[in-house]
Amino acid sequence: MAIASLSSLNLTDKSSPLCFRFHISSRSKPVLFTSSNYPKLNRNHRIQISVCKAEATTTTSSSLLSFRDLDADDFRHPLDKQNTLLLKAIPGLNEIGKALLGSISEQVMVLENIGTSVLVSENQLSELHHLMVQSAEALKIEAPDLYVRQSPVPNAYTLAINGKKPFIVVHTSLIELLTRKELQAVLAHELGHLKCDHGVWLTLANILTVGAYTIPGIGGMIAQNLEEQLFRWLRAAELTCDRAALLVVQDPKVVMSVLMKLAGGCPSLADQLNVDAFLEQARSYEKAAASPVGWYIRNAQTRQLSHPLPVLRAREIDEWSRSQDYKTLMKRAISTNPIEKV
């Protein structure tokens, strides 16, 4: 909130609504007034006008874009396509995974979230519910259940089990860290996993990786090989879902801002972070990793990671936002012009 005089206000800016609060005081005592009881002012009174951003409404004034007949392969990253084929080629992966994921495992995971989190709905955290429904409509996918869980670790994840209704979990610390637009990018990212059937593959592959270690003799070798394939696929899948986030929020800087905050953000520093500087940091990383030694270090650094490095994800989404494929896809978008609630 800032104190301003009338001459310093820019009333032509329509990017966000403004609200004005008046406080009138005199040298002797403050003067309080309502719309039905205005005071008579004299030169002894001083007027302060505080200007603040109006509270965000449950919908945005910008038009919502959705994509008719949107297919996952329309935005799937090439590395995701390649590594998904490699996973599908593993003999018996689906069958063994489904056998491991029985009704008991499913019940445990569902009850765990119902018992320890808050289920979002129209009458429970309605703003988050609206962001989820809006994002799902944009990507042409059924909105899953959404839970908010108390945790100091900023994170969000998706679970899809045995063809049942999937659900997304968002930690409270992540909500505190992000703006509402950035939070919508996170929800759209998680929806991207469901749009591309990543949730099922993620659950099955994780269980198989853990289970393979129990096989005598060759278990470790099988698990290590499968783990490397799993992480390689996961890193590629994350790049796809960053694209899903961009399709919903329509601004690459919003997606990159999420990645920047996950790399080194906190609520007290959020307003000082600079997306352009972070993108320049990403370019410098690529230059440093271009040498033979840098290439080796980069591969060693990322091989055991389930997610690509934030700077690499930022660079990827920046490049895709400038590509002809993205521009062609955006031409297929349909504006629905939602009615803004007041």
Side-chain angles (χ1 to χ4, degrees):
M1 183 183 298
I3 302 299
S5 64
L6 287 176
S7 60
S8 68
L9 296 178
N10 178 10
L11 301 180
T12 61
D13 182 10
K14 298 181 179 179
S15 61
S16 60
L18 297 174
C19 64
F20 301 89
R21 297 194 182 111
F22 296 85
H23 175 75
I24 301 177
S25 61
S26 68
R27 294 175 184 174
S28 58
K29 62 179 181 178
V31 179
L32 303 177
F33 65 98
T34 64
S35 59
S36 60
N37 182 29
Y38 289 96
K40 293 182 179 180
L41 304 180
N42 57 48
R43 65 183 61 186
N44 291 326
H45 291 108
R46 185 168 62 91
I47 304 176
Q48 286 185 330
I49 306 174
S50 60
V51 184
C52 60
K53 292 281 187 179
E55 294 297 326
T57 56
T58 54
T59 60
T60 59
S61 56
S62 59
S63 60
L64 167 66
L65 294 184
S66 62
F67 297 84
R68 182 182 301 159
D69 301 325
L70 180 68
D71 188 81
D73 286 338
D74 290 336
F75 60 90
R76 197 188 298 269
H77 195 282
L79 290 176
D80 185 6
K81 296 179 182 179
Q82 174 185 338
N83 286 286
T84 297
L85 290 175
L86 291 175
L87 275 185
K88 288 183 176 180
I90 298 176
L93 179 64
N94 275 328
E95 291 73 17
I96 298 175
K98 289 178 180 179
L100 293 174
L101 259 182
S103 58
I104 296 179
S105 299
E106 176 186 327
Q107 193 101 354
V108 168
M109 300 179 82
V110 170
L111 288 177
E112 169 70 12
N113 278 281
I114 293 177
T116 62
S117 309
V118 174
L119 176 61
V120 176
S121 64
E122 290 183 5
N123 57 4
Q124 179 71 275
L125 302 175
S126 58
E127 185 178 355
L128 292 181
H129 175 74
H130 172 78
L131 290 177
M132 171 62 79
V133 172
Q134 190 182 55
S135 302
E137 171 60 26
L139 294 174
K140 293 303 177 191
I141 185 174
E142 181 182 355
D145 287 336
L146 174 62
Y147 291 91
V148 173
R149 168 170 286 190
Q150 185 69 243
S151 174
V153 180
N155 194 19
Y157 52 91
T158 303
L159 290 172
I161 310 166
N162 242 1
K164 303 296 183 181
K165 186 175 183 180
F167 57 90
I168 293 172
V169 179
V170 179
H171 289 177
T172 51
S173 54
L174 184 61
I175 296 174
E176 290 294 318
L177 182 62
L178 304 179
T179 66
R180 285 298 175 261
K181 199 67 177 177
E182 291 165 352
L183 184 56
Q184 185 171 41
V186 168
L187 295 178
H189 175 101
E190 297 304 321
L191 287 171
H193 283 303
L194 298 177
K195 182 76 176 180
C196 300
D197 289 330
H198 289 162
V200 175
W201 281 94
L202 174 62
T203 306
L204 298 182
N206 271 317
I207 289 179
L208 285 176
T209 301
V210 175
Y213 284 108
T214 63
I215 302 175
I218 62 173
M221 183 173 58
I222 294 175
Q224 182 179 0
N225 181 54
L226 184 57
E227 185 178 56
E228 288 183 3
Q229 291 188 49
L230 168 64
F231 282 175
R232 191 180 301 115
W233 170 78
L234 283 176
R235 292 192 295 270
E238 290 299 306
L239 299 179
T240 291
C241 295
D242 287 343
R243 293 181 173 190
L246 179 57
L247 291 179
V248 173
V249 300
Q250 307 153 39
D251 185 350
K253 285 194 173 183
V254 172
V255 181
M256 288 187 284
S257 181
V258 174
L259 300 171
M260 175 179 61
K261 289 181 177 180
L262 288 174
C266 64
S268 62
L269 297 177
D271 60 345
Q272 302 178 46
L273 292 170
N274 187 316
V275 173
D276 292 326
F278 187 68
L279 186 56
E280 186 59 35
Q281 177 183 335
R283 296 190 182 102
S284 67
Y285 180 88
E286 282 195 336
K287 291 179 183 178
S291 67
V293 174
W295 179 88
Y296 177 82
I297 294 174
R298 171 177 168 172
N299 282 326
Q301 186 179 19
T302 60
R303 185 174 301 163
Q304 296 302 316
L305 296 178
S306 61
H307 289 59
L309 297 174
V311 289
L312 298 180
R313 293 171 66 181
R315 186 74 174 122
E316 279 279 344
I317 206 63
D318 177 62
E319 290 182 351
W320 192 63
S321 70
R322 302 172 189 272
S323 70
Q324 190 58 49
D325 287 343
Y326 173 72
K327 294 175 182 177
T328 300
L329 187 56
M330 291 304 294
K331 289 179 181 179
R332 292 169 45 188
I334 307 164
S335 177
T336 58
N337 291 317
I339 299 175
E340 184 178 4
K341 295 181 180 180
V342 296

